[in-house]
């Protein structure tokens, strides 16, 4: 589990790195809102299309080698993104990073659930690794590119290269261990899984929208240049990482479905506050938004796997990949609204998504394979 948690952090560092790249692309290349949103799409498009395929493959046979390979591709893509002034080549480099993320998540989630022995808290630790990586993305990108500009982007690939090599060594022998694992009993509930997918997509639209535009919004709101925007991303992803672990604890006491419903109810005013609260107090609203959006994060994964007990890879591919990535396709809509009006209205348009998530979550029920508080 330690290897998987650390590897998840390295892999998802590159998802957190993409939003942190945005201010530098705007500064050095003059990208507009729609161009910036296109970069976010590049990070999610291949991932959203291919990730279910990787999940299907890992359900048929264990493929632990996808874990270090996906991590390495995620880093190499981000590392190549700053080397060309061509928007197309930059887009393709970020898309390569998205492909690496797609390869990583289904197999890593399948292995993590087995190692955690179905523990909510154990899977929360795995999810915390990913969210810590998100939080570290801006911490890595901002000082490197602030000092050397986009030309220094290849240095951003170093953690992936080191992490991929270390993970390859650490996961030797995992194939046979995974093959020996028993088949989970139960009936796949595609109706509940589909409803859960709606919840995840709605949440993802908010997180990607904030990840893409939050740094620009906070910079204009409080001043301070790119550092102020990067600080907002650190608050968003850092508070989110801590809240992910809290979600596993709360689920053990109150039940996963109830925690999801309350979290998304809180998210509605919190997201509105990010767009409306003036001055430095915006950081408080960013933190509250992070708590409400990230407490349910690991619970999505375990619920999805329990709704599809015979397809852990597929469930992981959708809950950690497809549904999350599809949410990234909403960023161009936010960009279009911001371009037609202003960025504040673009962010306010995101408030609709927690409403959708809350309504969908009200129709969820506890999986048949488990008795938990309702």
């Amino acid at each position: 589990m330690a290897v998987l948690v650390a590897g998840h952090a390295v892999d998802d560092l590159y998802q957190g790195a993409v939003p942190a790249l945005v201010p530098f692309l705007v500064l050095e290349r003059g990208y507009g809102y729609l161009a910036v949103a296109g970069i976010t799409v590049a990070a999610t498009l291949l991932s959203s299309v291919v990730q279910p395929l990787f999940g299907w493959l890992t359900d048929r046979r264990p493929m632990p080698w996808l874990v270090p390979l996906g991590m390495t591709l995620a880093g190499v893509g981000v590392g190549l993104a700053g080397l060309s002034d061509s928007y197309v080549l930059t887009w393709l480099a970020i898309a390569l990073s998205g492909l690496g993320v797609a390869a990583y998540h289904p197999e890593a989630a399948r292995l993590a659930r087995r190692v955690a022995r179905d523990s909510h808290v154990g899977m929360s630790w795995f999810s915390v690794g990913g969210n810590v990586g998100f939080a570290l993305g801006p911490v890595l990108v901002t000082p490197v590119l602030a000092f050397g500009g986009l030309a220094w982007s290849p240095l951003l690939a170093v953690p992936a290269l080191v992490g991929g090599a270390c993970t390859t060594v650490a996961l030797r022998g995992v194939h046979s261990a995974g093959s020996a694992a028993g088949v989970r009993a139960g009936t796949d509930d595609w109706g509940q899984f589909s409803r859960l997918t709606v919840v995840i997509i709605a949440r993802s639209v908010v997180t990607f929208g904030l990840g893409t535009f939050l740094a620009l919004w906070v910079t204009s709101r409080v001043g301070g240049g790119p550092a102020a925007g990067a600080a907002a991303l650190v608050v968003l992803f850092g508070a989110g990482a801590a809240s992910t672990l809290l979600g596993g604890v709360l689920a053990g006491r109150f039940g996963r479905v109830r925690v999801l419903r309350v979290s998304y109810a809180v998210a509605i005013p919190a997201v509105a506050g990010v767009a409306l609260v003036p001055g430095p107090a915006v950081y408080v609203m960013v933190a509250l938004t992070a708590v409400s959006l990230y407490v349910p994060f690991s619970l999505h994964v375990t619920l999805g796997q329990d709704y599809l007990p015979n397809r852990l890879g597929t469930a992981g591919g959708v809950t950690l990949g497809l549904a999350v990535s599809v949410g990234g396709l909403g960023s161009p809509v936010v960009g279009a609204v911001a371009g037609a009006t202003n960025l504040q209205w673009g962010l306010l348009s995101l408030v609709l998504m927690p409403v959708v998530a809350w309504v969908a979550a009200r129709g969820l029920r506890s999986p048949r394979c488990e008795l938990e508080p309702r």
Side-chain angles (χ1 to χ4, degrees), residues 5 10 20 30 66 72 88 100 140 175 180 185 214 246 257 265 267 319 338 356 358 360 368:
V5 170
V10 172
L66 282 176
T72 301
V88 173
L140 173 69
H175 179 90
L214 182 64
L246 176 63
V257 171
T319 56
V356 172
W358 177 74
R368 299 180 184 130

Side-chain angles (χ1 to χ4, degrees), residues 11-38:
D11 183 79
D12 281 13
L13 180 151
Y14 294 101
Q15 294 195 72
V18 173
L21 279 171
V22 166
F24 296 95
L25 292 171
V26 171
L27 181 64
E28 293 191 28
R29 298 181 183 173
Y31 289 173
Y33 289 136
L34 288 179
V36 164

Side-chain angles (χ1 to χ4, degrees), residues 275-348:
L276 297 175
V277 171
V282 69
Y283 289 105
V284 176
M285 302 310 302
V286 170
L288 180 60
T289 297
V291 172
S292 63
L293 293 178
Y294 281 87
V295 159
F297 186 77
S298 68
L299 310 184
H300 295 156
V301 181
T302 58
L303 275 172
Q305 290 176 328
D306 286 343
Y307 288 142
L308 301 183
N310 301 301
R311 294 175 172 83
L312 296 185
T314 299
V318 174
T319 56
L320 283 171
L322 175 62
V324 174
S325 300
V326 168
L329 300 181
S331 291
V333 177
V334 178
V337 173
T341 55
N342 56 49
L343 188 51
Q344 184 175 48
W345 278 106
L347 292 177
L348 280 172

Side-chain angles (χ1 to χ4, degrees):
M1 180 59 77
V3 171
L4 291 170
V5 170
H8 200 189
V10 172
D11 183 79
D12 281 13
L13 180 151
Y14 294 101
Q15 294 195 72
V18 173
L21 279 171
V22 166
F24 296 95
L25 292 171
V26 171
L27 181 64
E28 293 191 28
R29 298 181 183 173
Y31 289 173
Y33 289 136
L34 288 179
V36 164
I39 294 296
T40 300
V41 170
T44 60
L45 183 61
L46 278 180
S47 182
S48 66
V49 172
V50 177
Q51 198 147 175
L53 174 60
F54 283 117
W56 178 78
L57 290 173
T58 59
D59 282 333
R60 295 175 63 86
R61 59 177 300 178
M63 297 181 181
W65 52 269
L66 282 176
V67 176
L69 176 63
M71 184 191 311
T72 301
L73 290 178
V76 169
V78 168
L80 295 174
L83 295 184
S84 173
D85 290 333
S86 167
Y87 182 82
V88 173
L89 292 179
T90 301
W91 193 95
L92 290 173
I94 297 297
L96 176 64
S97 180
L99 179 63
V101 171
Y104 174 87
H105 277 117
E107 179 67 1
R110 186 188 69 82
L111 291 174
R113 187 65 187 267
R114 294 186 188 279
V115 173
R117 299 180 181 179
D118 296 337
S119 164
H120 298 329
V121 175
M123 284 301 291
S124 292
W125 276 109
F126 173 71
S127 299
V128 163
N131 289 324
V132 167
F134 263 101
L136 291 178
V139 175
L140 173 69
V141 169
T142 301
V144 171
L145 299 190
F147 186 81
L150 291 173
W152 279 40
S153 66
L155 291 177
L156 303 177
V158 172
L161 298 176
V162 174
C166 292
T167 303
T168 299
V169 174
L171 293 185
R172 286 178 179 174
V174 163
H175 179 90
S176 59
S179 299
V183 177
R184 292 170 60 83
T187 302
D188 295 332
D189 190 338
W190 286 100
Q192 286 290 288
F193 186 78
S194 298
R195 181 177 287 272
L196 177 66
T197 300
V198 172
V199 173
I200 300 171
I201 290 174
R203 172 199 177 272
S204 179
V205 171
V206 181
T207 56
F208 271 105
L210 290 176
T212 302
F213 297 109
L214 182 64
L216 297 175
W217 170 245
V218 171
T219 298
S220 67
R221 197 73 164 168
V222 303
L233 291 176
V234 170
V235 171
L236 179 67
F237 298 139
S243 300
T244 301
L245 185 58
L246 176 63
V249 175
L250 293 175
R253 182 170 182 178
F254 301 107
R256 290 173 291 180
V257 171
R258 180 179 295 175
V259 171
L260 256 67
R261 292 170 181 163
V262 173
S263 296
Y264 289 117
V266 173
I268 298 169
V271 173
V274 172
L276 297 175
V277 171
V282 69
Y283 289 105
V284 176
M285 302 310 302
V286 170
L288 180 60
T289 297
V291 172
S292 63
L293 293 178
Y294 281 87
V295 159
F297 186 77
S298 68
L299 310 184
H300 295 156
V301 181
T302 58
L303 275 172
Q305 290 176 328
D306 286 343
Y307 288 142
L308 301 183
N310 301 301
R311 294 175 172 83
L312 296 185
T314 299
V318 174
T319 56
L320 283 171
L322 175 62
V324 174
S325 300
V326 168
L329 300 181
S331 291
V333 177
V334 178
V337 173
T341 55
N342 56 49
L343 188 51
Q344 184 175 48
W345 278 106
L347 292 177
L348 280 172
S349 69
L350 292 173
V351 177
L352 177 63
M353 291 298 100
V355 176
V356 172
W358 177 74
V359 171
R362 286 179 60 82
L364 292 176
R365 60 176 178 267
S366 299
R368 299 180 184 130
C369 64
E370 176 185 57
L371 292 177
E372 62 176 357
R374 293 295 297 272

